[in-house]
């Protein structure tokens, strides 16, 4: 099973790992695209104004450009510790046992505009690049990621649980993946999607699937793991689950 998470714009600082080495990352087939994008991003970082424009950042976020400039030399941290925010707070990797963390590092993967997809334990530096960015000499990122990343996803033998947000889902389509939506049920019985609940519940679901002793193998067993973790779910189609937020 592969649980595919969205990344976060915010990332932790520092790390105690050696500088980035693409050969240390999972899914080595993606390394040619990774190298091309990393080189384009660091070259762009030599011009702060151009970087801010290309990345859609304000002047007060120029520190993100500095991060990109030192991409090849800065320390790394495991991907599950590099990304931050609501979903990753709910994932609570810091409270996992050693066995649970090992499962999480293997079962969880994070979508990335720069790296395509990395496993939870892969060592990566801080960086700034969004799925909807366009880099000089590269263009829109889906044009380079789809041909490289879609075959990698298609080759996964077990179920793929797709928790990505729309922009990252557009970088590579997943045929046959389990799609997950999150809705909040209101007092009048109506339902709506709320961003905060969406991220938090996806984090909770990812944790449950990552830590489960028995690795889920189909939609029914995924739903059972969710329910055991106290997460209400219902089928929303042949390959879809709907999470009902409290």
């Amino acid at each position: 099973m592969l649980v595919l998470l969205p990344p976060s714009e915010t990332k932790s600082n520092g790390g105690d790992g050696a500088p980035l080495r693409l050969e240390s990352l999972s899914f080595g087939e993606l390394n040619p695209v990774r190298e091309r994008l990393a080189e384009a991003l660091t070259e762009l970082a030599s011009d702060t104004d151009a970087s801010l424009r290309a990345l859609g950042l304000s002047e007060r976020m120029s520190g993100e450009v500095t991060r990109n400039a030192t991409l090849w030399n800065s320390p790394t941290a495991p991907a599950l510790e590099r990304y931050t925010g609501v979903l990753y707070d709910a994932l609570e990797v810091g409270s996992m046992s050693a066995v649970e963390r090992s499962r999480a590092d293997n079962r969880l993967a994070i979508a990335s505009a720069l790296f395509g997809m990395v496993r939870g334990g892969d060592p990566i530096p801080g960086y700034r690049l969004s799925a909807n960015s366009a880099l000089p000499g590269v263009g829109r990122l889906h044009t380079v990621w789809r041909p490289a990343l879609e075959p990698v996803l298609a080759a996964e033998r077990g179920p793929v649980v797709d928790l990505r947000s729309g922009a990252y889902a557009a970088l590579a389509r997943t045929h046959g993946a389990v799609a997950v939506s999150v809705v909040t049920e209101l007092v009048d019985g109506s339902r709506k999607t709320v961003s905060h609940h969406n991220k938090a519940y996806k984090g909770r679901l990812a944790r449950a699937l990552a830590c489960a002793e028995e690795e889920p193998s189909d939609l029914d067993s995924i739903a059972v793991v969710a329910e055991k973790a106290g997460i209400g779910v219902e089928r929303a189609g042949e390959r879809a689950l709907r999470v009902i937020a409290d």
Side-chain angles (χ1 to χ4, degrees), residues 41-77:
L41 195 60
T42 53
E43 182 178 348
L44 178 64
S46 65
D47 185 331
T48 299
D49 289 340
S51 288
L52 294 176
R53 288 193 299 273
L55 301 175
L57 304 176
S58 63
E59 288 186 15
R60 66 183 177 81
M61 301 181 75
S62 58
E64 297 292 88
V65 179
T66 303
R67 269 187 163 184
N68 289 346
T70 59
L71 183 68
W72 291 107
N73 303 310
S74 56
T76 58

Side-chain angles (χ1 to χ4, degrees), residues 157-221:
R157 293 182 179 179
V160 175
V161 182
D162 194 351
L163 303 182
R164 294 175 298 170
S165 53
Y168 286 90
L171 293 183
R173 296 157 296 190
T174 53
H175 302 289
V178 175
V180 177
S181 59
V182 181
V183 298
T184 299
E185 193 162 76
L186 304 180
V187 176
D188 63 4
S190 63
R191 293 173 171 179
K192 68 175 183 178
T193 301
V194 180
S195 178
H196 181 87
H197 285 313
N198 180 60
K199 294 175 181 178
Y201 271 80
K202 284 184 176 180
R204 287 180 58 191
L205 177 60
R207 179 187 173 91
L209 295 173
C211 295
E213 291 187 23
E214 294 292 331
E215 186 170 352
S217 59
D218 54 27
L219 188 65
D220 288 338
S221 56

Side-chain angles (χ1 to χ4, degrees), residues 109-132:
I110 300 98
S112 166
L114 178 57
F115 299 115
M117 180 171 65
V118 291
R119 290 197 188 274
D122 286 356
I124 61 172
Y127 67 92
R128 184 62 178 248
L129 184 64
S130 300
N132 55 9

